[in-house]
Amino acid sequence: MREDAIAALLRQVYERLYAAYGPQDWWPGDGPIETIVGAILTQNTAWANAKRALERLKQAGALSPAALRALPEAELAELVRSSGSFNVKARKLKAVAEWLAVYGDDPARLAQRGAKALRHEALGVYGVGPETADVIVLYAAGLPSFVIDAYTIRVLERLGVEPESRSYEGYQALFEERLPPDAALFNEFHALLDVHAATICGKRAPRCGECPLRDVCAYGGAAR
């Protein structure tokens, strides 16, 4: 697919998904700190499991960087047990809380670093990979960094769009090189792709007959 065709398709996909689902108001969380903690907890598990762990942290008064630093690691692990790999995630939360202390536990100061610099710094924190780093940059700091996840990749592959490199960075470049660096746009587009993949473009049984992208989708065309 030509470069200009990919750019046009991405714009069309965004417009159709927005028309179909409306604004999503993501990330699901109450403020930047909860967003950052949620990004760690949802690694390799369903959001419902992460949400239960978040609720337990709230009930324990432990949903702040200072509280996470003060809480013994074993107690923290027990609080986030529902998220799976709870011992590892407790260590990750501790590491992120220590990193936030550098910013005085003020997430508003994260945005002062700039998107690329903040992303690079976040990737140096234990437990923060590319997707989690981009969630922090986009949803917590409000800076433009496109989040890539399994849902996004699934939709792109079914549309017939392939990056030059089938890597996280390759998929991210598909968006960042063809869209204006607008955090609000990146936020909404990622959310819409996830909602679409979760409700219509399922992994095993996509509902192509109900899909707003069917006529521009390689997979949907084959289904017809």
Side-chain angles (χ1 to χ4, degrees):
M1 189 178 291
R2 299 192 319 273
E3 289 294 309
D4 56 346
I6 294 175
L9 177 60
L10 290 178
R11 289 193 296 270
Q12 189 174 29
V13 167
Y14 175 79
E15 290 167 1
R16 291 193 184 194
L17 293 181
Y18 191 89
Y21 302 110
Q24 298 302 303
D25 299 318
W26 266 30
W27 174 274
D30 186 14
I33 296 300
E34 186 169 329
T35 295
I36 294 170
V37 172
I40 295 293
L41 294 176
T42 199
Q43 292 175 355
N44 301 311
T45 192
W47 173 248
N49 298 330
K51 187 175 181 180
R52 285 197 295 272
L54 279 171
E55 289 301 321
R56 291 203 67 192
L57 288 172
K58 282 183 181 179
Q59 292 166 7
L63 196 54
S64 72
L68 291 170
R69 289 192 296 270
L71 198 65
E73 191 172 299
E75 292 183 28
L76 177 55
E78 189 58 35
L79 287 173
V80 301
R81 177 179 286 271
S82 68
S83 67
S85 303
F86 49 91
N87 289 318
V88 174
K89 287 184 179 177
R91 290 196 294 274
K92 292 179 179 181
L93 289 172
K94 286 279 191 182
V96 168
E98 291 293 341
W99 173 55
L100 289 171
V102 176
Y103 293 89
D105 294 343
D106 182 3
R109 292 174 57 186
L110 296 175
Q112 298 171 7
R113 294 283 287 133
K116 297 301 181 185
L118 180 60
R119 185 180 193 271
H120 178 75
E121 184 179 324
L123 285 170
V125 178
Y126 172 72
V128 176
E131 183 181 342
T132 302
D134 288 323
V135 168
I136 292 171
V137 174
L138 180 62
Y139 290 108
L143 299 172
S145 195
F146 206 97
V147 180
I148 301 298
D149 55 21
Y151 283 161
T152 303
I153 293 172
R154 181 197 305 160
V155 175
L156 285 177
E157 288 181 342
R158 287 183 174 165
L159 286 168
V161 178
E162 291 188 10
E164 292 183 10
S165 168
R166 292 175 67 86
S167 63
Y168 187 99
E169 290 71 22
Y171 282 104
Q172 187 177 57
L174 273 173
F175 293 93
E176 294 193 351
E177 292 176 1
R178 294 166 180 83
L179 298 173
D182 182 333
L185 173 62
F186 286 6
N187 179 321
E188 196 67 69
F189 205 164
H190 171 245
L192 289 166
L193 287 166
D194 273 19
V195 169
H196 180 63
T199 58
I200 298 294
C201 195
K203 184 176 182 179
R204 294 182 178 83
R207 291 152 51 192
C208 296
E210 304 172 44
C211 180
L213 307 177
R214 187 177 183 185
D215 63 313
V216 296
C217 177
Y219 187 97
R224 288 200 303 274

